[in-house]
Amino acid sequence: MRISDFRLLAAGQTLSWVGNGFQTVALAVAVVLAGGGAGDLGLVMASSIVARLACTLFGGVWADRLQPQRVMVGSDLVRLLTAVAMAAMFAGDGYHLWLLCALAAISTGAASFFDPAFGALRPLLVPVEKRQSANATLSMLQTGSQVAGPALGGVTVAAFGASAGFTVNALSFLASMVAALLLRVRAERGPRASMIGELAEGWREISKRDWLLGGLFGATVYHIANGVILVLVQVVAIERLGGPSAAGFIAAAEGLGGVLGAAVALRFKPRRLLRAGWLTLLLMPLWALAYVWPAELIAVIAGAIIGYAGLIYFDVAWETAIQDHVPQRMLGRVSSWDYLTSFLAMPVGNVLAGPLADAYGTNKVLTVCAAVLFLSAAVQLLIPGARRLTRVQPATAEPTRPPELAGTTGT
């Protein structure tokens, strides 16, 4: 029964991930064609970032208070309505920047509730021994969707206009919502405390595990450096490697690398999975350094495939370690702290990219940031828990209530 629930969830999420690609293209095209330009688009993106930072931790608390699929359904409903509103705005030539910023913030805020709930739900849907395979499957589907979604969205928006892209995204949220409504698994929920108390409880759960606390701080440093890199490599690709077509080839290589990394995670299942994950993350600097030397398109493409394969394998290892060793009733809050470090650090790196490149030169900044990527992953191998953590076995895993008995406690 749980396996069929997992397939249902995977199908709904794949459609939603593809739909997000449609909205990404539609939003940029709609703002530019409405005369907004880069300034307006930047404000819309900033509104989304602020909403993400403001809502993520609270999303984790509610994911642990309610049945996670209920939180997901509510989030999908809100995002469906905001996508419909965006479609109506641009279909009627009624562009208002303040309204678009508000809609973007509401949509992203809803997503901040969805993500921790999704993280809390996944381990309930498969047996312990299949968690790594399930995480690898979802990573493969998400990576593929991130390539296919914008490509299909570009074709659709070019043919039918930006409103069509928003409409497709709204339908994808409907598909995700229906899938979540059909899930039969239930999580056991305990008594509630104050919001601040539950947030603090989630942080205590992190701080008593050296591999988890070290990983979050390491990820913060990693994402600041990666935020710088992601801005600068776009400039290098367009100015030095062949323009927009080169950027497209590199993006495709990154997607291919992610799919390969997930495919490896489906097969390669070491007992010390987290240690293997940190080792594969050491491949990511090769991608950044390829822009510096030999600075040829073919080398960058190869670096992107190798680096992103390592990144996605690490993501699978990290998610599996959290699911194995954090109690299910705490997964939403722990996941929300994990998401927050990423979303807080990445924009900081994005903002620093331009000033650093102007002051020191693009190649020097890329080289230093690649070294930061390497060190932030390598230092994790000095943490005893990260080196020694082993996959949990079915007999020692925290039990989950059978679907037919669940639902008698909690909301």
Side-chain angles (χ1 to χ4, degrees), residues 116 119-120 122-123 131 135 205-206 209 211-213 215-216 273-274 278 314-339 341 389-392 398:
R122 285 183 294 175
R131 283 176 182 168
N135 290 329
E205 198 69 30
I206 292 170
R209 294 170 172 81
W211 60 271
L212 188 50
L213 184 63
L216 291 188
L273 177 62
L274 185 59
W278 285 116
F314 165 77
D315 284 346
V316 172
W318 180 253
E319 292 290 342
T320 305
I322 290 175
Q323 292 168 7
D324 277 354
H325 296 281
V326 173
Q328 203 284 327
R329 66 186 182 279
M330 303 292 297
L331 276 178
R333 279 164 284 179
V334 170
S335 295
S336 69
W337 281 106
D338 188 13
Y339 294 136
T341 60
L389 196 73
T390 58
R391 283 297 322 276
V392 70
E398 180 180 296

Side-chain angles (χ1 to χ4, degrees), residues 5 15 17 33 116 122 148 161 179-180 185 187 216-218 273 297 327 341 343 377:
D5 277 351
L15 292 173
W17 287 326
L33 292 182
R122 285 183 294 175
V185 70
L216 291 188
F217 281 115
L273 177 62
L297 180 58
T341 60
F343 288 112

Side-chain angles (χ1 to χ4, degrees), residues 277-291:
W278 285 116
L279 287 170
T280 60
L281 192 59
L282 296 175
L283 297 172
M284 266 301 273
L286 297 176
W287 160 71
L289 289 174
Y291 285 92

Side-chain angles (χ1 to χ4, degrees), residues 137-268:
T137 299
L138 290 172
S139 290
M140 186 180 296
L141 292 171
Q142 185 173 18
T143 303
S145 299
Q146 289 169 345
V147 175
L152 295 172
V155 173
T156 301
V157 170
F160 303 104
S163 289
F166 293 120
T167 300
V168 171
N169 194 37
L171 293 173
S172 76
F173 288 134
L174 178 61
S176 175
M177 186 169 63
V178 170
L181 282 169
L182 294 174
L183 296 177
R184 293 161 289 182
V185 70
R186 292 291 181 269
E188 186 172 1
R189 292 293 180 245
R192 296 180 183 177
S194 68
M195 180 69 68
I196 299 301
E198 291 187 38
L199 283 173
E201 189 181 6
W203 181 253
R204 286 194 296 272
E205 198 69 30
I206 292 170
S207 61
K208 66 186 183 183
R209 294 170 172 81
D210 61 352
W211 60 271
L212 188 50
L213 184 63
L216 291 188
F217 281 115
T220 302
V221 175
Y222 179 96
H223 283 298
I224 292 174
N226 201 36
V228 174
I229 292 170
L230 288 172
V231 173
L232 296 184
V233 296
Q234 295 296 322
V235 177
V236 173
I238 292 171
E239 293 184 350
R240 305 179 192 174
L241 300 180
S245 62
F249 286 129
I250 294 167
E254 292 167 357
L256 175 60
V259 171
L260 290 175
V264 172
L266 279 170
R267 297 290 183 182
F268 180 52

Side-chain angles (χ1 to χ4, degrees), residues 22 26 31 49 79 94 121 156 228 262 280 300 312 314 344 348 352 369 392 395 405-407:
F22 278 74
V31 170
I49 291 171
R79 291 187 290 172
L121 177 66
T156 301
V228 174
T280 60
V300 171
I312 297 302
F314 165 77
L344 181 63
V348 172
L352 291 175
C369 286
V392 70
L405 297 181

Side-chain angles (χ1 to χ4, degrees), residues 87-95 163:
M89 178 196 300
F90 289 105
D93 297 323
Y95 172 61
S163 289

